[in-house]
């Protein structure tokens, strides 16, 4: 929700999950002419510092495996195969997700279904401008359900996504 008044800030995300998909561990090394020279460790250090300034908790996760990402999304809602029933009440629920799904953007119905299943608002993020690249990169299984899509801003896109999530995304009523 854009233009939120300060009186509504209690309804803003307080615990945000940043998920990075396949090959994003290679940021700064893989095709720097496309993705830049900033590493994923640099990105995470920057957004963790920003999260402190914004007063939000930031949890980060990266995997090259689709199933691990699906598990992480489910666990964000207190579900998933590694969450024991006695942990569900104690685990802090994630109120917003920022996801750079990498190549899974164009192929993964499983990631889409997981995001829709947990009903946590999410931002789709890409370092490169996927619309200025190969035709097959223009299709996303996530964009039509995302609260926002950020692409082509390089590593700065992570900062933009976190600020948007912290200041402009309204948290849905907890149904979990």
């Amino acid at each position: 929700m854009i233009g939120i008044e300060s009186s509504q800030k209690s309804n803003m995300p307080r615990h945000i999950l940043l998920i990075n998909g396949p090959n994003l561990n290679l940021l700064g090394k893989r095709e720097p002419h496309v993705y830049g020279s900033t590493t994923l460790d640099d990105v995470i250090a920057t957004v963790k510092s920003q999260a402190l300034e914004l007063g939000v908790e930031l949890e980060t996760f990266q995997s090259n495996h689709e199933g691990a990402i699906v598990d992480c999304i489910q666990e964000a809602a207190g579900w998933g195969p590694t969450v024991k029933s006695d942990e569900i009440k104690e685990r802090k629920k994630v109120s917003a997700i920022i996801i750079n799904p990498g190549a899974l953007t164009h192929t993964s119905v499983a990631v889409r279904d997981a995001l829709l299943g947990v009903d946590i608002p999410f931002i789709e993020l890409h370092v490169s401008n996927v619309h200025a690249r190969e035709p097959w990169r223009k299709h996303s299984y996530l964009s039509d359900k995302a609260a926002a899509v950020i692409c082509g801003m390089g590593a700065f896109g992570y900062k933009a996504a976190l600020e948007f999530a912290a200041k402009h995304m309204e948290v849905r009523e907890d149904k979990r």
Side-chain angles (χ1 to χ4, degrees):
M1 174 177 255
I2 307 242
I4 301 262
E5 299 296 324
S6 60
S7 63
Q8 295 174 305
K9 289 199 188 256
S10 64
N11 206 24
M12 295 290 99
R14 296 293 99 201
H15 188 180
I16 298 170
L17 171 61
L18 170 60
I19 300 172
N20 283 284
N23 297 314
L24 287 155
N25 56 309
L26 299 178
L27 273 180
K29 301 172 194 89
R30 175 185 172 222
E31 299 178 86
H33 63 284
V34 175
Y35 301 106
S37 58
T38 305
T39 67
L40 185 59
D41 288 341
D42 294 337
V43 166
I44 290 172
T46 298
V47 293
K48 282 193 171 192
S49 175
Q50 179 188 12
L52 288 173
E53 293 171 13
L54 292 167
V56 298
E57 285 183 59
L58 181 67
E59 182 180 343
T60 64
F61 179 80
Q62 190 279 324
S63 180
N64 293 323
H65 305 282
E66 181 180 40
I69 292 169
V70 169
D71 289 347
C72 180
I73 293 166
Q74 291 177 1
E75 289 167 7
W79 307 328
T82 63
V83 178
K84 297 179 180 89
S85 61
D86 58 336
E87 293 175 339
I88 291 174
K89 292 177 187 156
E90 295 178 25
R91 189 180 194 285
K92 192 174 255 187
K93 304 294 190 292
V94 169
S95 50
I97 295 173
I98 299 167
I99 183 167
N100 184 339
L104 294 176
T105 304
H106 323 292
T107 63
S108 184
V109 174
V111 170
R112 176 190 173 94
D113 286 350
L115 287 164
L116 295 178
V118 298
D119 198 33
I120 298 171
F122 70 94
I123 296 170
E124 179 183 348
L125 170 65
H126 300 282
V127 174
S128 70
N129 181 353
V130 294
H131 302 290
R133 298 186 61 197
E134 301 91 343
W136 56 267
R137 291 189 192 269
K138 295 177 184 176
H139 172 73
S140 168
Y141 278 99
L142 310 181
S143 294
D144 65 319
K145 299 299 181 182
V149 178
I150 296 172
C151 70
M153 296 176 74
F156 178 76
Y158 284 89
K159 288 183 72 169
L162 182 59
E163 182 156 340
F164 183 82
K167 292 184 175 180
H168 302 289
M169 283 178 71
E170 190 171 333
V171 176
R172 295 182 184 145
E173 188 175 319
D174 191 358
K175 300 175 197 172
R176 295 165 258 162

